[in-house]
Amino acid sequence: FLDESAEQLRCEGRAGGNFHLLSLYQPQTLTNHPLYLCTDRMHTPMEKPDASTPTSPNVVVYRGLVNRPRREQQNGHRARAFWFTGLSGSGKSTLAHLVEEELHRAGIRTYAFDGDNVRHGLCGDLSFSREGRAENLRRIGEMVKLFLDAGTVCLTAFISPLAEDRHKVRQIIGEGDFFEIFVKCPLEVCEERDVKGLYKLARAGKIKNYTGISAPYEEPQHPDLVVETHVQDTATCVQTIVQFIRQSL
């Protein structure tokens, strides 16, 4: 390609495309060869983002040559987002990470987003107020959207207590890419588990705006999948979710 197409690429570059000359190192021969990279604006347009999306001034969306369909083709599966929602202690994070392990072993490219983890960096500046929670989920929705473009299956474990916020995330990610998994478990069972000891603190008034105690949780009305962790054992829940995901890819 490098020898036969160089002159053709030079001509394309002069014809109006963006033309770059790189050095390609080949360890087999210990020589350098020129690599000509030509990007045609006609095939990689810069687009204006949707008007409803928060956007910095004077920026455009640039579409590269490697796009989501090509990444999905290379991966051998489609990218989708599976949104685990439920009370604290219902088992969202446990299931998301166990499901990721099963999918990873099957050769599926995945990433699990955990509610606590993102609060250590990306969303570490946010409170647990109504506004803080909404912004937290908006940021996650935008991050998941980027991971989908990278061809990755996303597993998100967030309480995401309000139907309005979950709907907004669905709009960000896209209707065809968003699958809601309701990890159902009664509040009293979650309190009995109280893995982090946070329910006890919330009952004592030491934690404000705690979902299920001093803040509401709105159950999904039409989730794509429901698993009941107080009825089914962990292994059964994992296999149910894995089967659902594989059918959705």
Side-chain angles (χ1 to χ4, degrees):
F1 168 81
L2 295 175
D3 294 330
E4 297 176 1
S5 303
E7 184 57 36
Q8 177 184 353
L9 288 170
R10 287 194 189 94
C11 292
E12 290 179 356
R14 286 195 292 267
N18 290 324
F19 182 74
H20 306 279
L21 177 62
L22 307 177
S23 178
L24 179 65
Y25 175 66
Q26 293 189 345
Q28 296 88 347
T29 58
L30 299 179
T31 58
N32 288 321
H33 295 278
L35 172 62
Y36 296 93
L37 175 62
C38 182
T39 59
D40 187 345
R41 292 286 183 180
M42 293 180 63
H43 295 90
T44 56
M46 294 189 294
E47 304 169 358
K48 292 184 178 180
D50 186 275
S52 63
T53 303
T55 306
S56 299
N58 304 316
V59 296
V60 293
V61 177
Y62 186 84
R63 300 297 181 188
L65 296 175
V66 180
N67 56 20
R68 176 174 168 180
R70 291 180 64 189
R71 296 183 183 107
E72 290 179 329
Q73 183 179 31
Q74 185 178 63
N75 292 342
H77 60 77
R78 289 180 292 183
R80 294 290 184 268
F82 299 90
W83 193 274
F84 293 64
T85 177
L87 290 168
S88 177
S90 61
K92 301 180 302 300
S93 293
T94 298
L95 291 178
H97 287 284
L98 289 174
V99 167
E100 183 184 32
E101 174 67 18
E102 291 291 319
L103 297 176
H104 182 78
R105 289 181 178 182
I108 297 174
R109 294 186 182 274
T110 61
Y111 192 84
F113 295 81
D114 184 270
D116 282 358
N117 290 352
V118 300
R119 289 271 184 174
H120 280 82
L122 178 65
C123 300
D125 60 320
L126 300 176
S127 70
F128 287 91
S129 66
R130 170 70 184 86
E131 296 75 19
R133 287 177 181 271
E135 175 60 15
N136 179 61
L137 295 183
R138 187 196 69 80
R139 293 183 191 181
I140 297 306
E142 294 291 353
M143 181 65 71
V144 169
K145 187 176 180 180
L146 293 175
F147 271 66
L148 292 178
D149 190 52
T152 304
V153 172
C154 300
L155 311 169
T156 67
F158 296 90
I159 295 174
S160 42
L162 300 183
E164 178 185 359
D165 291 339
R166 295 195 299 268
H167 177 68
K168 289 179 180 178
V169 171
R170 182 188 291 269
Q171 289 182 312
I172 291 171
I173 294 174
E175 188 70 34
D177 289 330
F178 183 95
F179 296 86
E180 188 174 59
I181 299 176
F182 179 25
V183 183
K184 188 174 183 178
C185 186
L187 175 61
E188 55 269 23
V189 176
C190 292
E191 280 199 76
E192 288 175 5
R193 294 173 179 172
D194 203 9
V195 179
K196 305 172 186 176
L198 299 180
Y199 279 108
K200 184 178 180 179
L201 294 175
R203 287 292 185 188
K206 296 180 180 180
I207 297 180
K208 305 298 183 183
N209 301 317
Y210 197 78
T211 303
I213 305 299
S214 52
Y217 177 79
E218 299 172 355
E219 293 191 356
Q221 296 303 304
H222 304 286
D224 296 287
L225 180 68
V226 179
V227 292
E228 299 181 278
T229 59
H230 63 297
V231 176
Q232 303 165 301
D233 60 40
T234 301
T236 299
C237 291
V238 169
Q239 290 308 312
T240 298
I241 297 170
V242 168
Q243 182 179 9
F244 172 75
I245 289 177
R246 292 181 74 96
Q247 291 173 348
S248 304
L249 297 182

